[in-house]
Amino acid sequence: MRILSIQSSVSYGHVGNSAAVFPLQRIGVEVMPVFTVCFSNHTGYGSWRGPMLSGDDVREIVTGIEERGGLENVDAVLSGYQGGSSIGDAILDAVDRVKRHSPDAIYACDPVLGNAKSGCHVAPEVQDLIRDRVVPRADLITPNQFELGFITGTSPDTLESTLDAVDRARELGPATVLVTSLQRPDRPVGADDEPAAIEMLAVTDDGAWLVETPRLPLKRNGSGDVTAALFTAHLRGSGDAAVALSRTAASVFELLERTLAAGSRELQLVESQEAYVHPARTFEARRVR
């Protein structure tokens, strides 16, 4: 399997390609990473150093890959955070190029916009780019529940309203939607009044599946990038959304569990490498439609 992954890169820690590439390689995927930024660390620290690449820079790199024949036999183009229309245009151009050489390739987009607690944390230009131009071109999107609502102009909270929102998203273009953090008010809560479990929902033409894992008391930058990457690879490899959902949930849960045990602000990405291939636990996806 071969994936062209166009995302950010950091030297310290794990987000973007610095989170997605190693887990993909560990499960046997040939990854061609193209960087959109080369930062010292992710922006959650409040300060960072290093350059942003332009859309023209990204096009040049993709052109070089194309000249080597690297866009042949590509299974997927993967993208995450998009800092502006220049990068967005370059990514969409890369998708077009890949599909000319590899007609069966899919475009898997993580539509990074924000979350329920902080709202949208990207510029209005990026909001419009993702909703109006990128999502309609994608074959697979991996929004969280807030991002799903933003894309579809809805406020999903129950399973039924989330499924309805996914149907609206799929009408825009993507055949497959993975909702990466479904939280419902009717679910049990823990002693801290937070949900006791986190669910992910995958919907394709063949149906809808839900998987549940215990909620861990942490959130770490980059976990969504790992989730999108593994689900894309497992879906392309198995052709089965339920299998891809179950495998992804097990691997990401173990990664977060190890990160929590280490007390680390950064994902224990390398230390958790066996979890990508042989996770210790199994979380079965159940059909909900």
Side-chain angles (χ1 to χ4, degrees):
M1 184 182 300
R2 177 181 286 184
I3 291 178
L4 178 69
S5 182
I6 309 176
Q7 302 195 58
S8 59
S9 171
V10 296
S11 296
Y12 178 83
H14 304 290
V15 298
N17 269 334
S18 301
V21 171
F22 178 69
L24 288 173
Q25 292 173 329
R26 189 63 180 82
I27 63 173
V29 176
E30 179 69 39
V31 188
M32 297 180 290
V34 177
F35 302 147
T36 55
V37 307
C38 293
F39 285 168
S40 55
N41 51 271
H42 69 70
T43 59
Y45 284 96
S47 64
W48 62 92
R49 296 179 183 271
M52 296 180 64
L53 279 73
S54 69
D56 288 340
D57 292 328
V58 171
R59 283 190 179 88
E60 279 292 291
I61 294 168
V62 173
T63 297
I65 296 171
E66 184 176 33
E67 290 171 345
R68 305 285 80 76
L71 301 187
E72 304 284 347
N73 302 314
V74 171
D75 293 277
V77 179
L78 177 64
S79 73
Y81 172 74
Q82 300 186 22
S85 59
S86 171
I87 292 295
D89 287 337
I91 291 172
L92 293 177
D93 178 66
V95 171
D96 286 340
R97 293 197 200 191
V98 167
K99 290 193 173 189
R100 283 198 296 269
H101 293 280
S102 304
D104 293 332
I106 67 166
Y107 173 31
C109 170
D110 184 4
V112 179
L113 292 165
N115 57 65
K117 288 190 175 180
S118 62
C120 274
H121 53 59
V122 299
E125 169 196 0
V126 177
Q127 297 173 26
D128 294 341
L129 168 72
I130 295 294
R131 182 187 58 228
D132 301 333
R133 296 173 52 208
V134 174
V135 167
R137 295 279 298 280
D139 302 289
L140 160 64
I141 59 172
T142 61
N144 60 35
Q145 199 169 16
F146 168 82
E147 291 162 343
L148 174 67
F150 182 89
I151 290 166
T152 59
T154 62
S155 299
D157 54 0
T158 65
L159 177 58
E160 292 73 20
S161 62
T162 302
L163 285 167
D164 288 343
V166 167
D167 289 341
R168 292 195 185 193
R170 295 180 70 236
E171 289 172 358
L172 298 174
T176 302
V177 176
L178 171 69
V179 185
T180 59
S181 56
L182 175 60
Q183 297 187 32
R184 297 185 276 154
D186 59 338
R187 300 293 292 157
V189 298
D192 57 358
D193 290 329
E194 292 290 337
I198 296 292
E199 296 170 316
M200 292 198 296
L201 173 70
V203 183
T204 71
D205 290 338
D206 297 325
W209 293 267
L210 194 70
V211 69
E212 177 183 295
T213 62
R215 184 186 66 85
L216 297 170
L218 86 164
K219 291 187 177 181
R220 292 295 182 266
N221 295 81
S223 59
D225 301 316
V226 176
T227 300
L230 289 177
F231 182 80
T232 298
H234 288 316
L235 183 65
R236 290 297 283 160
S238 69
D240 188 320
V243 169
L245 185 61
S246 179
R247 289 179 180 173
T248 301
S251 296
V252 174
F253 177 80
E254 189 169 334
L255 167 63
L256 292 174
E257 190 175 44
R258 186 178 291 270
T259 300
L260 177 62
S264 172
R265 178 168 179 173
E266 294 290 344
L267 292 174
Q268 297 290 284
L269 195 80
V270 176
E271 295 84 350
S272 304
Q273 60 182 286
E274 193 64 18
Y276 315 134
V277 184
H278 302 296
R281 298 179 63 176
T282 299
F283 298 99
E284 292 297 333
R286 64 182 179 90
R287 191 173 191 125
V288 292
R289 191 172 68 185

